[in-house]
Amino acid sequence: MTEQYQKLEKSLQRPLRVLDLGCAQGFFSLSLAKLGATVRGIDFLPANILVCQALADENPDLDVTFEVGRIEEVIKSLTENDYDMVIGLSVFHHIVHEHGLAQVKQWIKRLADCTVILIMELALREEPLYWGLLYLKTPQSSLIYVLSIDKLASLKLTCRILIAQCTLSVIK
């Protein structure tokens, strides 16, 4: 993720605006803020946001904010160019479980339309947990649209998406 951040930052010639959906305890939000990003972290659990805020308070020089919120509502409220990078790690399987794959595909398309790069993780059907059966056999078949390839091509970036349990796959 650092590599994609640095390439996009170099191309845009400015620090990035990052949205971290399902920020948990803020690891990725704080790490990207340390690189110079302005980061907004969203999580459904108030306890997670309390941890994030405590860590942010210990690092007042970082441009990072955290708030309790529903990812679905944040996605609906986005407009194009609000953020340069959106990340959603270890969270979308919960949303698929609640709203179904078809609806989540629409929200992923909206995210891709509103940002330059989207880094996310999807569960695999073979996972022995409740969300596994909601997915198709391959993660690629679960996505109808990932990123704006035109945007990435103009920036000379590699289109990447994190899929499954810390497995990197490149989708071009």
Side-chain angles (χ1 to χ4, degrees):
M1 186 176 330
T2 300
E3 178 184 343
Q4 285 75 28
Y5 177 91
Q6 290 170 335
K7 284 182 179 180
L8 185 54
E9 180 184 49
K10 182 178 180 182
S11 177
L12 297 176
Q13 299 181 345
R14 62 171 171 74
L16 303 185
R17 297 161 296 151
V18 177
L19 176 61
D20 186 355
L21 298 171
C23 64
Q25 290 81 36
F27 176 80
F28 292 107
S29 295
L30 293 163
S31 296
L32 291 168
K34 286 179 183 175
L35 293 175
T38 297
V39 183
R40 177 183 176 206
I42 306 291
D43 202 275
F44 179 70
L45 296 174
N48 282 346
I49 296 303
L50 288 174
V51 171
C52 291
Q53 193 55 54
L55 292 170
D57 290 346
E58 290 178 9
N59 296 279
D61 54 319
L62 300 181
D63 190 0
V64 59
T65 59
F66 295 101
E67 61 190 84
V68 175
R70 300 275 315 182
I71 290 172
E72 306 92 308
E73 297 304 316
V74 172
I75 293 171
K76 290 176 191 176
S77 72
L78 292 177
T79 59
E80 191 171 346
N81 297 318
D82 284 344
Y83 298 95
D84 306 302
M85 176 184 278
V86 176
I87 60 175
L89 304 176
S90 298
V91 69
F92 276 91
H93 54 273
H94 297 294
I95 298 171
V96 169
H97 181 71
E98 185 175 344
H99 296 284
L101 187 57
Q103 177 61 62
V104 172
K105 284 181 181 181
Q106 291 176 5
W107 287 329
I108 290 170
K109 182 184 182 319
R110 176 148 178 75
L111 282 171
D113 287 342
C114 289
T115 190
V116 179
I117 190 166
L118 169 60
I119 300 174
M120 59 182 298
E121 177 183 44
L122 294 175
L124 294 176
R125 183 178 181 87
E126 294 79 26
E127 292 185 40
L129 300 166
Y130 68 87
W131 56 74
L133 295 177
L134 298 169
Y135 286 93
L136 301 174
K137 289 189 178 187
T138 63
Q140 292 86 346
S141 62
S142 298
L143 298 176
I144 52 172
Y145 185 91
V146 177
L147 298 169
S148 172
I149 302 302
D150 293 336
K151 286 182 188 178
L152 290 170
S154 69
L155 297 169
K156 296 182 175 77
L157 293 174
T158 302
C159 177
R160 286 192 174 221
I161 182 167
L162 283 169
I163 297 177
Q165 305 280 358
C166 300
T167 301
L168 275 177
S169 295
V170 177
I171 299 175
K172 294 183 180 182

